[in-house]
Structures are given as C-alpha cells and as structure tokens.
Amino acid sequence: MRIRWFKLLSLMVGLAVSAMFYGHYYTSLVTSNRSLHPGTGPHSIFKGSNDSQHTIRTDHERKSDKKTAMTLMKSIADLKLHADSVCHTSLRLRVQNDFYFRNLFNFDIPVLMWDSYITEDTRKNLSQRPVPYGWKDLPLEDVTSTLQLLNDSANQKLFDWRPPKGCVRCAVVGNGGILNGSRKGKEIDDHHYVFRLNGAVIKGFEEDVGTKTSFYGFTVNTMKNSLIAYYEYGFTETPKGQGLRYIFIPSDLRDYVMLRSSILGVPVPSGTDKEDKPSEYYGPEATAKKFKLLHPDFLLYTMESFLKSDILKTEYANLYMPSTGGLMLLTALHSCDQVDAYGFITSHYSQFSDHYFERTKKPLEFYANHDMMLEMHLWSKLHKKGIMTLYQR
Ligand SMILES: *[C@@H]1O[C@H](CO)[C@@H](O)[C@H](O)[C@H]1NC(C)=O
Ligand SMILES: *[C@@H]1O[C@H](CO)[C@@H](O)[C@H](O)[C@H]1NC(C)=O
Ligand SMILES: *[C@@H]1O[C@H](CO)[C@@H](O)[C@H](O)[C@H]1NC(C)=O
Ligand SMILES: *[C@@H]1O[C@H](CO)[C@@H](O)[C@H](O)[C@H]1NC(C)=O
Ligand SMILES: *[C@@H]1O[C@H](CO)[C@@H](O)[C@H](O)[C@H]1NC(C)=O
C-alpha cells in the first residue's frame, strides 16, 4: 500500500520536475527550431527525465520502502533545485499577456541557422527570396559550404555557455549619443549577457557603456564601415576575447564567405573582401564555436512582424532592412527573459549626438536602408508595455 502511494507521489514529482525543467529551458535557452534537433531541444530533456522516471519506477518494483523514500527525497531536492532556476517574470509571459504584442511575437521562429538546415525544403524556400531574407542569386555552394562548418552544438543556441539560474538578463547596447554621460556602465555590465554591435567603442567610455561584451553583432559591411568611419574615435579593432561570440547577419554573399573563411582560419579567397584575414577581426583562436549565424527566416519575420516600413513602397525597397541594432535587440527579445536596451533611438534623439563617442555633437544620420522612426516607435511601445526597458532621458 505504502509503496503504491510512494510510486504515485514519485511519479507526480518526476512529472513536475520534467515540466519545470521544460519551462525553464523553453523560456530562456532555446532559440531555434527545436523539432529539427532531437538532441538539443526541450523534447529531448523531457524524454531524458521521462526515461529516468521510468528507471525509478522499475526500481521501485524491487527495492525497499527506505530506498523508495530516498529516491523521493532526491526528487524533491531536484525539484527545489529546478524551482530556483525557473524564471517567473519571463518576457514570454509578458508578451502572452499583452493584447498587441502577443499577435506579433512568434517564439517558435528559428533565430539561428546551422548545418542541419542543409535540406531540400530549406533550399527551396530560401532560394525564392533575395538576401537578407534568403539565398536567391547566391551561389548555393558558398552557402552550403558555410553552413556545413556550423556543426557544433554551440552554433544552435545563443547561450552555449554558463547558463545562469533564474531569469536570463540581457543588455543590448546601441551606439547612440544618449549614452554620453549616462554613467550606465556598471548597470550594463551587471547583466548576464551584453550585446554590442558595429562601432562599439569601449576604451575611454567604460563609465557610460561598460566593458563586458558577450555578443558582437554585425554584417561584414557594417563592421568594415565602422572600422573605417569610427577609427578616429577609437574603434580601431573589433571586440575580441575568449568569452565573446560573434553574430553574423547574413545580408550578402560577403557574410557567408567571410564566415566560412573565419572558421577555416584562411584568408578570404574571393569577392569584395578578398585577401582579408579573418583572424584580424575575430582573433587567431576563432573556431566554429565562436560564431552564430542569424536565420534568414528570422530576418524576414522581424521585418514583416515588427518593422514593415513604408520604405518598402519606394524605390529603396530592396535596400531596406532592419538596422543592425534593431536586429540585435530583436534577437535578445527572442532569447532572454529580461531585456534592457541602452543607446537606442528615443523621441529626444535630437538632443544627443549621433554616437556616444563623438567629441562634438553631430546630428543623427538617417539612411534610406533603415527606418529609424519606425524603430523608435517600436522600442518605445515595447518599453511602455513593460516587455523590455529602454534607457531614456
Ligand atoms: C515516456 O516513457 C514511456 C515509457 O518508457 C514512453 O512510452 C513514452 O513515449 C515516453 N514519453 C516521452 C515524451 O518521451
Ligand atoms: C520547424 O520545423 C518543422 C519541421 O521540422 C516545420 O514543420 C515547422 O514549420 C518549423 N517551424 C518553424 C517556425 O520554422
Ligand atoms: C519557409 O519560409 C517561411 C517564411 O516565409 C517559414 O515560415 C517556413 O517555416 C519556411 N519553411 C521551411 C521548410 O523552411
Ligand atoms: C564538424 O565538421 C568538421 C569538418 O567537417 C569536423 O572536422 C568536425 O569533427 C565536426 N564537428 C562536429 C562537432 O561534428
Ligand atoms: C558628451 O557629454 C559632455 C558632458 O556631459 C559634453 O561636454 C559633450 O559635448 C558631449 N559630447 C557630445 C558629442 O555631445
């Protein structure tokens, strides 16, 4: 009789543990299409718990009450451990509770792309759309040979190291002039993960922008332009470091070719960046593990759901895409439990310089390929709805 009771309770505890583990994993870690990867998604974790559950149950059939009680205590200890790691205030919950944003967010969309996407279905789909939303007109060989190298489990998830307990807190740092004199550096560094992009100058601005960089995001075009345009302000090299990961935005063939050369550790063989040495950008020790590639479907989704600009109705339509900062912020919004944005455009932008590192005030420059006003309204709305915080003053 008692064994039965224990069996039932143990089963319930086991299920609760599985469910909570599932919940945490779902809310904070998985950023890509899980069904593609039986090895990494919450389903496999659920199955794992289910499998061990199965072992516990068969054990019970043979072993004493005492042993059963110990198993149960262990299960309860596990349960407590996992309870501590659950995020109760996850961004996803806040989105689900928001009448407007719950119709825009799709957390099932894959954020990243890696070798498992070399399939006929994906090829058919993406060959119909030009960059950055697809592979149309790109030599398939260049795309495929790049994807083949993204075969490490680290390529499949944004947070492939030290996953923190509880809510995953991310800071995304744009380069806006609003950060000049902000003294937000310590607060930024206090996040689990810090995203930076393009001309992210740190030296001399530590008090305002912090020093930690977990992710550096760019297109090869924006990265190289930043090195040229902001060299005089101290952006003399791209951020580097052991714990730093690079997020490639595939906006052109250049990005695929540079990424492939970076992983192989060879000079770029052809194209716009011919003979560039990737180690100068990403360090000599760069392996596949250091690189993430945004999925073209994710880029399409961010544009269609959040940033469908009127520019698309003009002659500049095929130049238009969300800004690098916008894409990093949306990546964080689809991956973290808490997102705080710094250095992004606000309605008071005219009071600040274009970038925080300029020495004399320069007005914000608008380019035809981005819609900064639309992005400004989006960040403001996400802030007002409590889905993220936007640093404003
Ligand atoms: C759980 O385990 C049972 C029996 O071992 C199995 O039939 C079932 O498919 C498993 N469920 C999942 C979700 O893995
Ligand atoms: C995920 O992959 C499955 C097939 O593996 C597909 O049916 C589904 O549409 C994909 N989901 C997304 C959001 O791409
Ligand atoms: C094809 O692209 C659409 C977006 O247009 C996406 O929703 C869908 O999941 C993709 N299908 C495959 C098989 O990749
Ligand atoms: C990835 O592919 C490379 C080259 O094909 C191979 O050497 C390496 O062992 C693979 N890594 C994994 C984790 O499968
Ligand atoms: C940055 O702030 C300082 C003082 O807070 C000010 O003197 C300087 O002009 C600002 N720089 C720009 C480019 O606005």
Coordinates of all heavy atoms in Angstrom, one line a residue, residues 33-37 106-110 117 121 295 297, ligand 2:
N33 N 14.6 26.3 -34.1 CA 13.5 25.3 -34.3 C 13.9 24.0 -33.7 O 14.8 23.3 -34.2 CB 13.3 25.2 -35.8 CG 12.0 24.4 -36.1 OD1 11.6 23.6 -35.3 ND2 11.4 24.7 -37.2
R34 N 13.3 23.7 -32.6 CA 13.7 22.5 -31.9 C 13.4 21.2 -32.6 O 14.1 20.3 -32.4 CB 12.9 22.5 -30.5 CG 13.5 23.6 -29.6 CD 12.5 23.8 -28.5 NE 11.2 24.2 -29.0 CZ 11.0 25.5 -29.3 NH1 11.9 26.4 -29.3 NH2 9.8 25.8 -29.7
S35 N 12.3 21.2 -33.4 CA 12.0 19.9 -34.0 C 13.1 19.4 -34.9 O 13.2 18.2 -35.2 CB 10.6 20.0 -34.7 OG 10.6 21.1 -35.5
L36 N 13.9 20.3 -35.4 CA 15.0 19.9 -36.3 C 16.1 19.2 -35.5 O 16.8 18.4 -36.1 CB 15.6 21.2 -36.9 CG 14.9 21.7 -38.2 CD1 15.4 23.1 -38.5 CD2 15.3 20.8 -39.3
H37 N 16.2 19.5 -34.2 CA 17.3 18.9 -33.5 C 16.9 18.1 -32.3 O 16.8 18.6 -31.2 CB 18.3 20.1 -33.1 CG 19.3 20.1 -34.1 ND1 20.6 19.6 -33.8 CD2 19.3 20.5 -35.3 CE1 21.3 19.7 -34.9 NE2 20.6 20.2 -35.8
N106 N 6.5 35.6 -32.3 CA 6.4 34.1 -32.6 C 7.7 33.5 -32.1 O 8.8 33.6 -32.7 CB 6.3 33.9 -34.1 CG 6.4 32.4 -34.4 OD1 6.4 31.5 -33.5 ND2 6.4 32.1 -35.7
F107 N 7.7 32.9 -30.9 CA 8.9 32.4 -30.3 C 9.3 31.1 -30.9 O 10.3 30.5 -30.5 CB 8.7 32.3 -28.7 CG 8.6 33.6 -28.1 CD1 7.4 34.1 -27.6 CD2 9.7 34.4 -27.9 CE1 7.3 35.3 -26.9 CE2 9.6 35.7 -27.3 CZ 8.4 36.1 -26.8
D108 N 8.5 30.5 -31.8 CA 8.9 29.3 -32.4 C 9.8 29.5 -33.7 O 10.3 28.6 -34.2 CB 7.6 28.5 -32.9 CG 6.9 28.0 -31.7 OD1 7.6 27.7 -30.6 OD2 5.7 27.9 -31.7
I109 N 9.9 30.7 -34.1 CA 10.7 31.0 -35.3 C 12.1 30.7 -34.9 O 12.6 31.0 -33.9 CB 10.4 32.5 -35.8 CG1 10.8 32.6 -37.2 CG2 11.2 33.5 -34.9 CD1 9.6 32.4 -38.1
P110 N 12.9 30.1 -35.9 CA 14.3 29.9 -35.6 C 15.1 31.2 -35.6 O 14.9 31.9 -36.6 CB 14.8 28.9 -36.7 CG 13.8 29.1 -37.8 CD 12.5 29.5 -37.2
Y117 N 20.2 22.7 -41.3 CA 19.3 23.4 -42.3 C 19.7 23.2 -43.7 O 19.1 23.7 -44.6 CB 19.2 24.9 -42.0 CG 18.3 25.2 -40.8 CD1 18.9 25.4 -39.5 CD2 16.9 25.2 -40.9 CE1 18.1 25.7 -38.4 CE2 16.2 25.5 -39.7 CZ 16.8 25.7 -38.5 OH 16.0 26.0 -37.4
D121 N 14.0 21.2 -48.5 CA 12.9 22.2 -48.1 C 13.4 23.6 -47.9 O 12.9 24.5 -48.4 CB 12.2 21.7 -46.8 CG 11.1 20.7 -47.1 OD1 10.8 20.5 -48.3 OD2 10.5 20.2 -46.1
H295 N 19.2 33.4 -38.8 CA 18.5 32.6 -39.8 C 17.7 33.6 -40.7 O 17.1 34.6 -40.2 CB 17.4 31.7 -39.1 CG 16.9 30.6 -40.0 ND1 16.3 30.9 -41.2 CD2 16.9 29.3 -39.9 CE1 15.9 29.7 -41.7 NE2 16.3 28.8 -40.9
D297 N 15.0 33.3 -42.2 CA 13.6 33.4 -41.8 C 13.4 34.3 -40.6 O 12.3 34.9 -40.5 CB 13.1 32.0 -41.4 CG 12.8 31.1 -42.6 OD1 12.8 31.5 -43.7 OD2 12.5 29.9 -42.3
Ligands
LIG2 C1 10.1 23.7 -37.6 O1 10.4 22.5 -38.3 C2 9.3 21.7 -38.7 C3 9.7 20.5 -39.4 O2 11.0 20.1 -39.0 C4 8.3 22.6 -39.5 O3 7.2 21.8 -39.8 C5 8.0 23.9 -38.8 O4 7.2 24.7 -39.7 C6 9.2 24.6 -38.4 N1 8.9 25.8 -37.6 C7 9.3 27.0 -38.0 C8 8.8 28.0 -37.1 O5 10.1 27.2 -38.9

